[in-house]
Amino acid sequence: MSTMDLRQALAGLLTLSMFIMLGNMIKKDHFDSMYDVNIEAAPASQNASEVVTEQSLATVSHVSKKSLMENGKGLKPCRNPLALEEAPQSEGFITFSLTNGPEYHISQIADAVVVARILGATLVLPDIRSSKSGYSMSLGDIYDVQKIINRLDGLVRVTRTLPVTNGNPPIVKVPNRVSQDYIVRTVQPIYKAKGIVKIESHFSSVNPTMAGNKKSLDTFACQTMFGTLQLQPEMHEVVDSMVQKLQSWSQNSNGQFIAVDLRTEMVAKECHKKDVSGRKLCYQPHEIGEFLKKIGFSPETTVVYVTQSKWNSDLDALKDIFPKTYTKETVMAEDKKGKSLSSQSSEFEKVIDFYICSQSEVFVPSIPGLFYANVAGMRIVSGKNQILVPAEISSPSASASDYISPYVSQKNHFAYACFC
């Protein structure tokens, strides 16, 4: 072959490689861009046969811990808020409830703190409302109340209980990551008239990136979001023992412990949908298994924890690829199952999943949403950067590091605006 032919062949190969790399980047970024969607409307589920697609996943070399972005040290706040005595104070109260699970809780308490701080109001510690109608819990059933009070000291005034009032307080919906302008324009007039307001965070979209972020409020919101809601001792013990058990199992086989947010009911709702260009919006159990295998995780050594509450036959396809795949009913100590896995305590299950996914060696979301966004934020602040976004793999040279979440690789999660 002539020198010219060799140069042309090499140029063609490099061009092809660039297109493959670009394609993978587009797919990965697209997964994270799906946060600007309405998450309140539940899509109609479709037949499973409509959502199963064939994947072309290339084989790559075995993954090692060095091939992933190394977990680093935890971040620290970039700046400190003004002392509470420097802020204007009033005599009223802001109340709220925690609802829908821990991924919502950390956003809801941040919104409440911001509203109370701007209005100079006293924040009433919330109760926890279950997704089951009429079922509520006290804050201390899940979270450490004294640590919450200590964490909020200097940010807002806090009271454990609401003084006796006439009637129910007016309810005002506020957009998640509410702005000062919205508080002054919409909440303040009602607050001044009534002296008390109950706020409800409205999640019309999930946008954890820095775009549109109100930096003047980041200090209050982010200091509240990350680290305020710490588990009460019994819940902490449950989560800690499960994490230690999973880590031990992975270390015994010289593998890694991966937490995958994979709930079959969510997959059934979402995986039939594609965007306008036909790209996938979520991944099913067998697709997650193939993804992990093709980027180099060993089926023999890797320990996989899935957030599905109890084993479902839909998970069999993942377990066929990764035999060491577990749900919480397998990992949890027998004497803790009665409380944590009972039919009326779905909030306990959600909390367990959220904090295990925040502490695992590697985290893999199967679907876009607030769970992924806020787990990512918790991991970023604590230095746990190994967040892998599933994608269809077409490059023969793909590795785990190619699929690091753009929240980390591009540092576009708003947590980076608050922590350094």
Side-chain angles (χ1 to χ4, degrees):
M1 183 179 292
S2 66
T3 302
M4 183 62 69
D5 289 337
L6 287 172
R7 289 176 178 174
Q8 290 174 340
L10 179 59
L13 181 60
L14 290 173
T15 301
L16 178 60
S17 299
M18 289 177 64
F19 276 114
I20 291 173
M21 291 172 62
L22 179 61
N24 283 333
M25 290 172 64
I26 292 172
K27 290 171 185 172
K28 182 174 64 174
D29 289 348
H30 174 74
F31 188 92
D32 291 82
S33 72
M34 291 310 297
Y35 291 103
D36 290 321
V37 296
N38 191 315
I39 62 172
E40 295 182 340
S45 60
Q46 293 188 5
N47 190 292
S49 63
E50 298 177 12
V51 298
V52 177
T53 57
E54 288 295 323
Q55 300 296 308
S56 175
L57 304 175
T59 302
V60 298
S61 58
H62 177 72
V63 69
S64 68
K65 294 186 179 182
K66 291 184 178 180
S67 68
L68 286 170
M69 182 176 292
E70 292 290 341
N71 284 329
K73 295 181 180 180
L75 304 183
K76 295 181 179 180
C78 297
R79 53 194 180 278
N80 294 318
L82 293 173
L84 184 58
E85 55 266 22
E86 299 178 50
Q89 298 297 300
S90 59
E91 297 302 320
F93 299 90
I94 295 298
T95 73
F96 68 110
S97 293
L98 299 178
T99 61
N100 298 321
E103 68 269 32
Y104 287 85
H105 295 174
I106 65 175
S107 295
Q108 289 162 343
I109 193 170
D111 290 336
V113 166
V114 169
V115 172
R117 173 78 186 207
I118 296 302
L119 297 179
T122 297
L123 183 70
V124 181
L125 292 183
D127 61 352
I128 300 174
R129 299 292 176 90
S130 172
S131 54
K132 295 189 177 183
S133 177
Y135 183 71
S136 63
M137 309 163 64
S138 72
L139 183 64
D141 287 337
I142 290 179
Y143 299 112
D144 191 315
V145 176
Q146 189 56 54
K147 286 185 177 179
I148 293 173
I149 294 173
N150 294 343
R151 180 78 176 190
L152 297 180
D153 183 39
L155 287 178
V156 290
R157 292 177 300 177
V158 175
T159 180
R160 291 173 182 259
T161 57
L162 178 66
V164 177
T165 59
N166 294 324
N168 295 322
I171 297 175
V172 180
K173 288 189 175 182
V174 300
N176 178 229
R177 295 171 70 193
V178 60
S179 68
Q180 182 171 357
D181 176 69
Y182 187 95
I183 294 169
V184 171
R185 178 167 37 88
T186 304
V187 185
Q188 190 172 57
I190 302 173
Y191 172 74
K192 284 185 174 181
K194 300 293 184 178
I196 182 171
V197 169
K198 181 173 184 177
I199 67 165
E200 293 182 355
S201 295
H202 179 62
F203 295 86
S204 60
S205 66
V206 184
N207 181 21
T209 61
M210 295 182 191
N213 198 29
K214 304 296 183 183
K215 291 186 179 298
S216 61
L217 300 185
D218 278 347
T219 302
F220 312 132
C222 286
Q223 287 231 349
T224 306
M225 284 188 72
F226 306 107
T228 298
L229 294 179
Q230 298 184 48
L231 298 178
Q232 52 97 325
E234 184 181 0
M235 285 299 302
H236 184 275
E237 180 185 348
V238 170
V239 172
D240 195 46
S241 66
M242 293 175 69
V243 169
Q244 288 182 10
K245 187 179 292 185
L246 290 161
Q247 289 175 336
S248 176
W249 290 348
S250 65
Q251 290 168 1
N252 288 342
S253 61
N254 196 30
Q256 288 184 283
F257 156 37
I258 304 175
V260 181
D261 180 29
L262 182 59
R263 291 160 283 171
T264 55
E265 70 276 8
M266 293 296 293
V267 169
K269 289 179 180 179
E270 300 293 329
C271 267
H272 67 278
K273 297 193 302 184
K274 293 185 177 181
D275 73 350
V276 292
S277 62
R279 290 181 295 217
K280 297 174 64 63
L281 302 186
C282 77
Y283 290 82
Q284 297 195 57
H286 74 280
E287 296 170 326
I288 292 291
E290 290 293 337
F291 168 73
L292 293 174
K293 180 181 178 181
K294 297 305 181 182
I295 62 174
F297 286 98
S298 167
E300 290 76 27
T301 64
T302 302
V303 171
V304 178
Y305 173 84
V306 294
T307 55
Q308 176 72 26
S309 294
K310 296 183 179 180
W311 194 264
N312 184 295
S313 59
D314 291 342
L315 297 174
D316 290 346
L318 173 59
K319 194 174 182 67
D320 287 343
I321 302 173
F322 286 88
K324 298 178 181 180
T325 296
Y326 307 101
T327 59
K328 61 181 66 61
E329 62 180 346
T330 304
V331 184
M332 188 180 296
E334 286 294 331
D335 61 335
K336 303 298 182 182
K337 290 182 180 180
K339 178 179 180 179
S340 300
L341 299 183
S342 65
S343 60
Q344 287 194 329
S345 60
S346 60
E347 299 307 305
F348 290 116
E349 296 181 26
K350 293 175 183 177
V351 166
I352 289 168
D353 289 333
F354 185 83
Y355 284 91
I356 287 180
C357 289
S358 298
Q359 296 177 39
S360 60
E361 284 188 271
V362 181
F363 171 58
V364 177
S366 68
I367 189 170
L370 195 64
F371 190 95
Y372 167 32
N374 280 343
V375 166
M378 296 283 283
R379 293 182 67 95
I380 288 168
V381 172
S382 63
K384 296 182 180 297
N385 298 315
Q386 297 182 7
I387 308 170
L388 302 181
V389 176
E392 299 174 66
I393 301 175
S394 57
S395 170
S397 60
S399 68
S401 59
D402 295 328
Y403 298 92
I404 290 289
S405 169
Y407 290 153
V408 174
S409 62
Q410 299 176 17
K411 293 190 175 182
N412 66 2
H413 195 287
F414 74 86
Y416 287 107
C418 309
F419 292 84
C420 301

